[in-house]
Each structure stands twice: as C-alpha cells, then as structure tokens.
Amino acid sequence: MAINLHIPARDAIYPVSGIRIGTAEAGIRKAGRRDLTVFLLDEGAAVAGVFTRNRFRAAPVQVCEAHLAAGKGIRALVVNTGNANAGTGAPGLQASHDTCTALADLLHVQAEQVLPFSTGVILEPLPVDRLIAGLPAALADAQADHWFEAAHSIMTTDTQPKIHSQRITLGGAQVTITGISKGAGMIRPNMATMLGFLGTDAGLAPALLQDLTRAIADQSFNRITVDGDTSTNDSFIILATGASGVQIESAQDPRYAPLAQALTEAARELAQKIVRDAEGATKFMTIRVEQAASTEEALKVAYAIAHSPLVKTAFYASDPNLGRILAAIGYAGIDDLDVSKLTLWLGDVQVATQGGRDPDYREEDGQRVMAEPEILVRVALGRGAVADTVYTCDFSHEYVSINADYRS
C-alpha cells in the first residue's frame, strides 16, 4: 500500500526532446511482463551518474562507470529487471559487455556509448541471451512519450510506478524535466537499491552536469532509507539533451540556479516516492535533526532513528513508545552529547525536553500523531546551527513476508 504516492496523469508526463524510450518482454525472470527498457539519446546529449558504494558493485555498475569515464558520448541506456547481475564474477562482467555490444551493433554506435543497468535477484547468472533477443522489440517500441511504460518496466517489488514531470521557463525558453525511479526494499543511502533516471532538454556542460548530479543525489536519493541495507546496483543518472536550445556552461549562468533547484526537487520527489512505496510500509516518516554541530552529526542521529527496528515497529503499531527514539539518539555516536539540551517533537507535540519527558506531554497527543500516515519526528540537539532531513518508513508484517519470499 503506497502512502500518498502521486502518479501524474498521462497527459501531464512530458516527453523530453532528444530521448526516446522502448520496452519489451524478454522473459528474464518471469514471462508475460515487460522487463527490458532502452533509452535512446540523440547525439550530443550529456550524461552523468552516481552509483552504489557497496564493494560488491554489480557488473553493470562497473561497466557504467568505465563507459562514462571513456568520454565517447553516451547514446543509449539498457535496463533489465528480474536479475541484478551482481555477485556473478567474470561471467557477469562479460554479460554486461555483451549486452552493450549487442545494442551498440543495432544502433551502429560503439559499445562504450551504451550504459547497462540491472535490478533484481543477486548471485544468479544473467540470462543474457534472452536479454539480447529482446533488444529489437524494445527498439521497435521506442517513442518519446514512453516514460510511463518505462516506469512500469523497471519495477521489481514496487507496487506503483514512480514518475515526475514538469516544465519550467529559463530565460524565456521552455525546459522539460521528466524522470522515473524504482525501489522498494534494500534501501539505504550511498545509494539505495534503486534506479533513477532524470531527463531534461536543457543542455549542461559535462563536468558541470557531473558535479550537479552528485550534489542532487546527496539531497535526494542519499537522504532516504527503508531498511538500512545498501544494494549492489544503485544508479542515478541525469540526461541533458540540450534540445530546448538552452545551453549552460557554468554555474555562474543565471539560468543554472533555477534549473539546479528544479532538478533537485524532481529527484527528491522521485526518492521520496520510493519510501512511500517501500515494501510493506504504512507510514511515511520525516526525521529532521536541528541544532547539530555538523551535517555528519545531524545525519548520524537521523539515521539512528530511521534504522531502529524498535522505532519502526512502534510506528507501525501507532504505539507512542517514544523512549525508543531517545535510545536511538543516545547510541548515534555523539560521545559528548548533552541530553539535557535536547528537545524532541512528534508532529506538533513536544515530547521531551531537558533530557526527560516534557511536563505537558500527554500520551493521547502522541497517539493522535502516530495514527497519521505521514509523521514528522523533529529533534533539536542544542549543539549548533546545522539541520538535515532523512525520509523513512515503518516496518510491518508485510515487509518480512515480502523479503522472506522474494525469489518466488
């Protein structure tokens, strides 16, 4: 059950000039579902990405990084679901290379101009022959307005597609921003088990786009968590085609800041939609830590709360057992934390102050907030002026059921 997850109407999903998308049924894991997606880019598009920091990075992640570093100009992306091609050793790397070569041959480009992406079960060989056999059908399906189909095609345990689309005006020119993401479990920053693809018809210099992509990831996909597990396949890609005629070469361009803001907001929405559709989730939780001495300190506290199974199960039960939050703050790793300066709010209710229960706190007030589908937990540490926010969800019985039987 997705929590207040908005899916835009089809006529509100705007094509991005310079990008065409096709999907196909390749039978990679299950028959009768679209599990193969290709993005086709016009020549001259700039592409940048950030990827998982898991040391067991999947084969497609390794190939993506190498092909981006080659700097030959990316012309296509190929995405399969149902198999992560991770923990597959040298044969997995060869499968990713073979995938790129096969698509490149069909497009008459170089293999290094193709980026591969996979998501699904880890430690199982990728049925690369089926994937390659499905490429012609995906190419034949390619259209500029197939973002909606792609959002469905890249899903695994997601229950809803994640799509964002908008148009903005930059210096008198109209610019389109459209993106999709997937992910529901094994979600933890750096990055999460997610794929995110964000396209714009604005143009950005390649080095500028790479810096912006990293900064955007830190404010969006690196601020979500479901279960604290960092996947092997996480990838976030921004595609900037320049087809609108807007071309930005430096951060000093007056059009850069509003474009960066719009792209960041789009990525943040796509990231939050992953949490809203997390496996078994019934509550969307915003954890905001204020008055920290540093960003690192704020995030330590926020993630300690967000990752605590005791906190997450209490929220699932709508049980205001809020001492669990204080315990998580206490073990977050701030050795010199003065708890007498700490204040805790649950929504609009002040729960704790000066290291203990607020004298005006009543459990029925906490119960009222806990019953809501979206909940704000706010902590003031009394140590500085830095604030940061993490988005997470509760743990339900369904989360256990889904992950106990994921491969069936």
Side-chain angles (χ1 to χ4, degrees):
M1 178 183 71
I3 307 158
N4 296 334
L5 193 159
H6 171 67
I7 303 173
R10 197 178 187 90
D11 60 2
I13 303 171
Y14 306 118
V16 177
S17 297
I19 301 175
R20 292 181 297 127
I21 305 172
T23 64
E25 295 180 14
I28 290 170
R29 184 165 185 82
K30 296 180 180 180
R33 65 148 294 175
R34 290 183 178 265
D35 53 8
L36 180 63
T37 306
V38 295
F39 290 73
L40 307 179
L41 310 180
D42 286 355
E43 189 171 3
V47 179
V50 292
F51 302 92
T52 182
R53 296 180 187 174
N54 191 311
R55 291 299 300 161
F56 244 111
R57 293 174 306 147
V61 169
Q62 297 177 55
V63 173
C64 274
E65 291 176 325
H67 287 188
L68 283 170
K72 294 188 176 181
I74 302 303
R75 297 297 307 278
L77 283 59
V78 54
V79 188
N80 76 266
T81 57
N83 186 296
N85 194 14
T88 48
L93 276 173
Q94 188 60 53
S96 286
H97 285 299
D98 290 346
T99 298
C100 293
T101 298
L103 183 54
D105 288 347
L106 291 170
L107 296 174
H108 307 292
V109 300
Q110 298 179 55
E112 291 83 1
Q113 293 179 287
V114 178
L115 300 181
F117 304 86
S118 298
T119 182
V121 179
I122 298 170
L123 204 65
E124 293 188 3
L126 177 70
V128 67
D129 291 344
R130 276 178 263 166
L131 191 162
I132 291 173
L135 289 174
L139 292 179
D141 183 64
Q143 299 289 334
D145 62 350
H146 278 188
W147 288 90
F148 187 78
E149 288 77 6
H152 283 82
S153 180
I154 65 174
M155 290 166 54
T156 50
T157 58
D158 311 62
T159 69
Q160 299 288 341
K162 287 90 180 172
I163 311 169
H164 173 90
S165 192
Q166 68 181 113
R167 284 175 171 158
I168 63 173
T169 300
L170 293 179
Q174 181 177 266
V175 166
T176 299
I177 296 171
T178 298
I180 59 175
S181 64
K182 65 78 51 181
M186 200 186 283
I187 300 290
R188 166 68 164 97
N190 298 323
M191 294 168 59
T193 189
M194 47 75 47
L195 300 177
F197 304 100
L198 190 56
T200 179
D201 55 9
L204 287 155
L208 185 64
L209 180 61
Q210 182 60 54
D211 290 344
L212 178 60
T213 301
R214 193 171 304 280
I216 288 174
D218 282 341
Q219 294 302 312
S220 57
F221 293 104
N222 281 343
R223 291 294 184 271
I224 61 172
T225 183
V226 168
D227 44 29
D229 278 358
T230 298
S231 176
T232 53
N233 291 62
D234 318 325
S235 306
F236 170 51
I237 302 293
I238 297 183
L239 316 167
T241 69
S244 67
V246 172
Q247 181 65 37
I248 299 174
E249 298 294 334
S250 78
Q252 284 67 50
D253 188 311
R255 299 169 297 178
Y256 174 79
L259 177 62
Q261 180 180 352
L263 289 169
T264 301
E265 290 172 354
R268 187 180 290 120
E269 181 182 325
L270 289 172
Q272 289 182 9
K273 284 181 174 181
I274 289 173
V275 176
R276 292 182 184 280
D277 193 32
E279 291 167 343
T282 69
K283 306 281 176 65
F284 178 85
M285 298 153 57
T286 299
I287 314 296
R288 181 165 178 81
V289 178
E290 303 170 350
Q291 298 178 15
S294 66
T295 296
E296 179 184 10
E297 188 172 277
L299 292 177
K300 276 185 178 181
V301 172
Y303 285 126
I305 297 169
H307 289 155
S308 167
L310 293 179
V311 171
K312 294 165 85 68
T313 50
F315 274 79
Y316 170 62
S318 298
D319 176 18
N321 188 357
L322 303 177
R324 293 178 173 182
I325 297 177
L326 295 183
I329 296 168
Y331 65 62
I334 304 175
D335 294 336
D336 62 343
L337 178 66
D338 184 350
V339 298
S340 70
K341 295 181 179 179
L342 186 142
T343 308
L344 169 66
W345 292 266
L346 184 67
D348 60 352
V349 177
Q350 188 164 311
V351 174
T353 186
Q354 296 180 349
R357 181 180 177 128
D358 189 279
D360 294 326
Y361 172 69
R362 297 182 304 165
E363 185 157 315
E364 54 264 37
D365 293 330
Q367 183 78 57
R368 169 179 56 80
V369 178
M370 292 285 275
E372 297 173 359
E374 299 201 26
I375 301 170
L376 170 65
V377 176
R378 188 159 62 95
V379 180
L381 298 178
R383 293 171 57 84
V386 177
D388 218 316
T389 303
V390 166
Y391 305 96
T392 190
C393 62
D394 58 344
F395 268 166
S396 69
H397 301 290
E398 189 178 357
Y399 176 86
V400 176
S401 298
I402 290 170
N403 283 284
D405 197 28
Y406 177 71
R407 298 195 303 163
S408 65

